[in-house]
Amino acid sequence: MRPRTLLGSFLLLACTTPAFADEAKPAPPAPEAAPNEAPAKAEAAPDAAPAPPKEGETVAEAQAKPSPPEVIEVSVLGRSDDALQKVPGSGTLIGAKEIRRAMPAETGEILRRVPGLVVRPEEGLGLRLNVGMRGLDPTRSRQVLILEDGMPVAINPYGEPDLYYSTPVERIRAVEVVKGSGSILFGPQTIGGVVNFLTALPPDKPEWSLEAQAGQRNYFKLSGLYGGAAGDARYVLQFTRKQGDGFRNIEFHATDFMGKIAFPTSARGEATFKIAVYDEFSRSTYVGLTRRMFELDPRTPSIAPHDGFNVRRYDASLTHEYRFSEATRLRTFIYGYITDRDWRRQNYDRDAKPDVTYERIVGDASVSGAAIYFRNTSMVRDRDYQVLGIEPRVEHRFETGRVRHTITAGARAHVETADRKQFQGEIVNTAAGNLQDREHHRTFAIAAYAQDRLAFRDDLLVTPGVRVEYAANLRSVDRTAETGTSRDVTNRGTSDSLAVMPGIGMVYGTPKLNFFGGVHVGYAPPRVSSAISPGGQDAQLDAEESTNYEIGVRLAKLKWIRAEVTGFVMSFRNQIVTGSEASGQQSELANGGRTLHRGAEAQVTVGVGQALSLPLTIDLTGRYTFSVSTFRGGPFDGNRLPYAPLHTANATLDVEHRIGLGGQVAWSYLSDQFADEYNTVLVDPTGRLGVVPAYHLVDVSLRYRHAKTGLGALLTVKNALDQVFVATRLPDGIQTGGFRQVNVGLRWDHR
């Protein structure tokens, strides 16, 4: 692997970042909260309880001890107890306890528990995350800003915002989601919302866990975590290895490592440094089943067993916070990552060509479009991506008369590159080949933002804000096969874009009951690396622009019930939509023009056990979203957008006894969807067009943990009803979802 200049630059920057000098006076207390706000505190782990006193130590003595230095992390909801009450718009926090109870096998299981989100399975393994929001296309999560500890996850956030890699579920300790005007603090995308995965924090005392799972289809997972303290520093190390034959014989193996260290840099400053490595191989493929294949056997093994997907990811980040005074603090975030993605896909035709000898033919060759003709050659798509950024953010509190201000302002410098190569292999299982296409992309972006939370009264917050994004792009093509024959070229082009995204939100009420609303401009920059047609032509996709409105009510912090209801409208001047070659599109993505999304979402959680004073915990949660997403004007006026279901619903029932025995039943439902902009109903022979039928899933789990020893056992049954369904007709044919998966495991932890 060749040297990585961006990674080297990041490491140099991280090592030379000056630490603030220690001062003689003691560290100041945490910033004093305004009367309507709770004091800021570290969100060490949602649902975490205070540490009990040690043996022989009284509670008073334990509480008198100085608190350990704060672990610094980037949160989108804030770190105070009533953070949701201060967010200018709808927000959701899925805490550590809820994730532990769910025992998810993949990240999508967690996100299905957020109203307004749609998660589409792909290969059934959860290796690629496809999440949409309020009718936005879920393909590769392109239209939702996905973060991990505040760091972008997309391979190139500006030029190619696709999730060919996503945060492994084993890393995730909590999930934050913001969908309203508060999302303008994060970018570059603000059209949908922000999903932030929070990972393990370094503990201030020894903590460890070890878990092993085994199940059907030779599934095996081993995961371990260890954390503790050394002097003033705290650290955590986490490792996961999982593998299996997969559904439809799409075998996989993945290895993940993450490490964090938190340490004080002065009497007023703390820092957290994080590194992570992820390595994966799978038999993921783009080619799916035809209609006839699915009708005969929806469990048909992959018809492209020679396809192979490799992704390797290296990332690092440094977060530093310095408190100038009780009212002012500066947080600086430096991040960098490298993603290497290689995908070998066997060449095939939908119709037989007279001058080609095929390695095999799958399907019914007597019906046009019902067979796939595989050649004895392959195409290897080699992609290398690099990202580096720095973002300082300042928060300052002050008063003007009776109005209390909390200003958050910051700026970001970001650079990303992409090297894209395509090789033609003369045999089907080659890892090499003849170079067909080669191009290089580079984007340099600068962003600035400011938001002022105005507390006019204890029960009224108004939060105006604005974000500015500027990006300069370079695209250089060194070799192309546009004419059918590869040739060297020197094509270079540049472009830039500038966008201003204002927004304003309001919250009225108390942390227990409040009303909220807001409006903001949504924007996603034009893609440098837009979808490429089979002929190698750039689709020339435009920027996405929208105006987003929402209004809602939130009931929280009562003894046994929490609820939130939100109505929303998103009006797009241009939206990028998923096209289909079968419907005449020349690329996977296309300019969709004007669209309108409108609907409502609701969530309610009832602590039945607490309400009835039962000797066990019984929590019942229901979630529902109604969303109508349609084209406005043009040839598809009034048609529903592709992959935008009208209804999504989810419910969970969790029961736990104080002896450590618990269980959960989770149900989810997704209504039918259209696969193309024409809203084609009948399924064509290729399986690429037609309605995607509705489906529902039921997951069941049992768990036990012995409190004194920390030993536990678990049983999970994913898709307990064994529902096999059409997950998607993209990119090229029916990709099936479902299949029951039974896993058992043992866990030993100390916390």
Side-chain angles (χ1 to χ4, degrees):
M1 187 174 295
R2 66 180 185 276
R4 306 296 188 176
T5 56
L6 282 179
L7 182 62
S9 300
F10 167 73
L11 293 176
L12 178 63
L13 183 60
C15 292
T16 56
T17 301
F20 292 96
D22 291 336
E23 300 189 20
K25 55 186 178 182
E32 197 172 46
N36 67 309
E37 298 172 4
K41 70 173 186 178
E43 191 178 4
D47 313 308
K54 295 181 179 179
E55 185 176 354
E57 183 179 54
T58 67
V59 174
E61 289 172 338
Q63 293 178 344
K65 287 184 176 180
S67 299
E70 180 182 343
V71 176
I72 303 302
E73 66 177 353
V74 178
S75 170
V76 302
L77 284 176
R79 299 174 298 158
S80 59
D81 289 329
D82 57 350
L84 281 175
Q85 186 254 344
K86 296 181 290 187
V87 173
S90 58
T92 302
L93 172 65
I94 300 179
K97 183 169 67 176
E98 185 173 350
I99 294 175
R100 286 196 301 269
R101 287 177 170 182
M103 292 185 284
E106 45 98 4
T107 307
E109 291 183 44
I110 304 175
L111 296 183
R112 288 192 189 98
R113 300 174 182 231
V114 179
L117 266 58
V118 172
V119 179
R120 187 177 73 208
E122 183 173 330
E123 73 296 288
L125 310 174
L127 300 175
R128 242 72 54 209
L129 181 62
N130 297 282
V131 57
M133 187 176 290
R134 293 176 172 175
L136 296 175
D137 181 13
T139 304
R140 296 281 176 262
S141 306
R142 295 182 179 114
Q143 296 178 308
V144 177
L145 180 62
I146 307 292
L147 307 175
E148 179 185 320
D149 293 327
M151 180 174 70
V153 174
I155 51 178
N156 266 178
Y158 286 82
E160 196 170 350
D162 301 288
L163 258 64
Y164 287 99
Y165 156 87
S166 60
T167 302
V169 67
E170 292 78 15
R171 279 195 207 175
I172 300 172
R173 87 167 200 278
V175 180
E176 302 174 306
V177 181
V178 172
K179 290 169 281 188
S181 62
S183 62
I184 65 173
L185 289 180
F186 308 89
Q189 295 198 63
T190 61
I191 57 174
V194 183
V195 176
N196 188 31
F197 298 124
L198 297 174
T199 61
L201 286 177
D204 57 359
K205 59 182 180 180
E207 178 179 307
W208 51 266
S209 66
L210 184 65
E211 180 180 312
Q213 287 190 34
Q216 292 176 283
R217 303 175 184 87
N218 291 321
Y219 177 81
F220 175 75
K221 182 179 81 171
L222 180 65
S223 182
L225 178 147
Y226 184 83
D232 290 336
R234 286 176 281 172
Y235 61 89
V236 64
L237 303 173
Q238 188 174 24
F239 171 84
T240 300
R241 167 73 180 194
K242 55 185 177 181
Q243 61 190 49
D245 294 341
F247 303 116
R248 297 180 56 217
N249 293 340
I250 301 179
E251 63 177 292
F252 73 99
H253 58 78
T255 304
D256 179 58
F257 169 80
M258 185 196 73
K260 282 185 183 179
I261 181 170
F263 53 93
T265 57
S266 70
R268 296 189 175 190
E270 295 85 33
T272 301
F273 180 68
K274 169 187 168 185
I275 59 171
V277 179
Y278 178 83
D279 184 78
E280 173 208 317
F281 171 80
S282 71
R283 292 292 177 186
S284 296
T285 180
Y286 267 4
V287 59
L289 305 178
T290 66
R291 180 185 67 191
R292 184 60 175 163
M293 292 176 196
F294 182 79
E295 291 172 347
L296 290 174
D297 184 8
R299 301 175 188 268
T300 298
S302 172
I303 59 177
H306 300 298
D307 289 5
F309 179 91
N310 291 271
V311 63
R312 182 172 292 177
R313 167 96 162 199
Y314 308 88
D315 64 63
S317 64
L318 176 67
T319 307
H320 184 272
E321 180 173 290
Y322 184 77
R323 297 177 297 273
F324 291 95
S325 67
E326 296 181 4
T328 307
R329 65 178 181 179
L330 172 67
R331 176 170 295 179
T332 303
F333 182 42
I334 307 172
Y335 59 89
Y337 54 90
I338 295 168
T339 309
D340 290 345
R341 194 215 81 182
D342 299 326
W343 202 339
R344 182 184 68 238
R345 302 207 292 264
Q346 186 174 4
N347 293 324
Y348 62 91
D349 297 316
R350 284 285 177 176
D351 296 298
K353 300 184 183 303
D355 57 342
V356 176
T357 300
Y358 292 100
E359 181 250 344
R360 59 196 170 92
I361 301 172
V362 181
D364 186 359
S366 65
V367 179
S368 177
I372 301 175
Y373 302 81
F374 283 97
R375 302 188 180 198
N376 191 30
T377 60
S378 62
M379 191 68 73
V380 180
R381 294 160 175 83
D382 184 355
R383 308 284 191 258
D384 296 332
Y385 304 94
Q386 302 179 65
V387 174
L388 177 66
I390 181 170
E391 179 175 340
R393 173 182 295 192
V394 65
E395 181 180 294
H396 179 61
R397 302 175 186 231
F398 65 97
E399 295 184 5
T400 55
R402 295 186 176 181
V403 180
R404 298 180 297 276
H405 300 256
T406 302
I407 290 182
T408 303
R412 180 174 66 192
H414 173 104
V415 61
E416 62 187 38
T417 65
D419 290 298
R420 301 162 56 90
K421 297 183 287 293
Q422 187 163 288
F423 299 89
Q424 176 67 49
E426 298 302 324
I427 57 175
V428 67
N429 57 357
T430 182
N434 300 315
L435 182 64
Q436 300 290 301
D437 296 276
R438 179 176 180 176
E439 59 181 270
H440 174 78
H441 302 161
R442 186 184 69 220
T443 298
F444 177 72
I446 299 176
Y449 54 86
Q451 180 178 275
D452 187 5
R453 188 168 66 237
L454 302 164
F456 291 96
R457 305 184 340 181
D458 289 350
D459 57 1
L460 177 61
L461 295 176
V462 178
T463 309
V466 65
R467 183 179 189 89
V468 179
E469 286 276 0
Y470 172 78
N473 310 306
L474 167 69
R475 183 177 187 180
S476 174
V477 180
D478 302 320
R479 189 169 178 82
T480 182
E482 289 182 7
T483 61
T485 302
S486 295
R487 59 190 179 90
D488 292 333
V489 296
T490 55
N491 297 334
R492 292 171 62 89
T494 59
S495 64
D496 60 4
S497 60
L498 175 66
V500 179
M501 294 157 275
I504 186 170
M506 182 195 73
V507 181
Y508 174 75
T510 67
K512 291 184 178 180
L513 175 64
N514 57 82
F515 300 86
F516 59 87
V519 57
H520 75 278
V521 171
Y523 174 80
R527 303 159 190 263
V528 181
S529 179
S530 54
I532 305 298
S533 72
Q537 299 296 319
D538 192 332
Q540 296 298 325
L541 303 181
D542 298 325
E544 296 181 88
E545 299 178 76
S546 67
T547 303
N548 302 351
Y549 309 86
E550 68 173 10
I551 186 170
V553 58
R554 183 183 297 116
L555 176 67
K557 288 202 167 185
L558 294 185
K559 289 184 178 180
W560 49 267
I561 187 170
R562 299 192 306 273
E564 182 176 311
V565 179
T566 307
F568 61 87
V569 175
M570 300 191 299
S571 178
F572 278 83
R573 290 173 285 282
N574 179 60
Q575 183 180 158
I576 303 300
V577 299
T578 299
S580 169
E581 293 179 40
S583 66
Q585 292 288 354
Q586 294 303 306
S587 67
E588 184 186 345
L589 302 178
N591 292 314
R594 295 167 63 84
T595 65
L596 181 65
H597 303 239
R598 55 207 185 277
E601 56 195 37
Q603 172 174 313
V604 60
T605 299
V606 179
V608 178
Q610 187 176 7
L612 300 178
S613 301
L614 299 177
L616 71 164
T617 299
I618 303 177
D619 291 334
L620 177 63
T621 300
R623 309 166 188 89
Y624 171 72
T625 301
F626 173 72
S627 176
V628 182
S629 305
T630 56
F631 291 96
R632 293 193 300 162
F636 309 117
D637 185 33
N639 286 8
R640 283 166 51 189
L641 269 65
Y643 294 98
L646 290 176
H647 309 279
T648 58
N650 180 280
T652 57
L653 174 64
D654 193 274
V655 180
E656 188 171 65
H657 194 274
R658 65 187 65 179
I659 65 173
L661 181 65
Q664 184 175 107
V665 178
W667 170 81
S668 61
Y669 169 79
L670 194 68
S671 67
D672 58 13
Q673 309 161 70
F674 291 110
D676 69 327
E677 59 276 21
Y678 290 92
N679 288 184
T680 304
V681 175
L682 297 178
V683 181
D684 75 332
T686 69
R688 296 182 292 181
L689 293 179
V691 168
V692 178
Y695 64 87
H696 62 93
L697 298 172
V698 175
D699 297 335
V700 179
S701 62
L702 294 173
R703 62 186 184 271
Y704 173 74
R705 181 179 185 271
H706 186 255
K708 289 186 177 180
T709 62
L711 289 171
L714 60 92
L715 167 68
T716 63
V717 185
K718 305 299 181 181
N719 190 8
L721 302 181
D722 202 23
Q723 299 287 321
V724 181
F725 55 90
V726 177
T728 177
R729 302 187 185 279
L730 288 172
D732 197 10
I734 298 173
Q735 301 286 351
T736 56
F739 303 89
R740 181 187 294 120
Q741 177 71 30
V742 180
N743 295 336
V744 295
L746 297 174
R747 181 180 176 86
W748 190 16
D749 62 48
H750 171 75
R751 59 177 187 262

